[in-house]
Amino acid sequence: ENTAASQDEPRGKIIGSVSSDAPDIEENPELSKEAADHDNGRRLDIVKTFSPLPRLPYIAAKLFFMAWIISIMVLSIRDSKFPSFWLAYLTHWGVLLITAYAIMSFVSAIYLAVRPPTDPNVLEGGVGFFAKATWTLFAAAL
């Protein structure tokens, strides 16, 4: 017997944002327990996520890893018997995505150190682009 189908609890939609002004179960009985648990009042701080303090050591570490990953990719292409055929292997696509993520992570950290957002809860403009691109490349590289 399926226990999920036999529950009397209404199934609501998952809320898309993590803000403290979202309705809770008492105000909106259509929301499920999972949806209410998703909104716990915490907000994501973009600057702390992509450019934490102290900035210089984090940016230096990102630069080191970015240079290391790029050198691995360049040496892999250079040492390949057929460099024009390098992207034919799925493993090399993974290396390419990891390299793109490392570059975007470094650029995001620099951008946020130089131009922190006026409102850290709004992903618009350059901040939005860099945050979304970095998250997308990270997910793709996994």
Side-chain angles (χ1 to χ4, degrees):
E1 191 174 294
N2 189 355
T3 59
S6 65
Q7 291 178 349
D8 293 334
E9 181 179 313
R11 303 297 290 180
K13 62 182 180 180
I14 300 294
I15 1 180
S17 65
V18 287
S19 64
S20 60
D21 56 350
D24 57 58
I25 292 178
E26 289 80 24
E27 292 175 3
N28 188 354
E30 293 178 21
L31 289 177
S32 67
K33 174 97 171 94
E34 294 86 5
D37 287 345
H38 178 73
D39 180 21
N40 56 12
R42 292 183 293 164
R43 292 179 185 262
L44 178 65
D45 189 343
I46 299 299
V47 177
K48 284 183 182 177
T49 301
F50 290 103
S51 188
L53 293 175
R55 286 196 174 94
L56 189 58
Y58 283 102
I59 290 174
K62 286 177 184 269
L63 177 64
F64 171 76
F65 286 116
M66 180 187 70
W68 186 22
I69 292 168
I70 289 172
S71 66
I72 289 171
M73 186 178 80
V74 168
L75 290 174
S76 174
I77 294 170
R78 189 193 70 182
D79 295 342
S80 176
K81 193 171 186 177
F82 302 102
S84 60
F85 196 68
W86 189 79
L87 281 176
Y89 298 102
L90 188 59
T91 306
H92 294 158
W93 281 96
V95 171
L96 185 67
L97 286 170
I98 290 169
T99 304
Y101 166 72
I103 292 168
M104 186 58 76
S105 177
F106 176 72
V107 170
S108 295
I110 294 291
Y111 182 84
L112 289 169
V114 173
R115 297 183 59 182
T118 54
D119 183 8
N121 298 317
V122 177
L123 287 177
E124 292 178 351
V127 173
F129 168 76
F130 285 114
K132 291 173 185 177
T134 303
W135 280 329
T136 301
L137 287 170
F138 177 76
L142 289 178

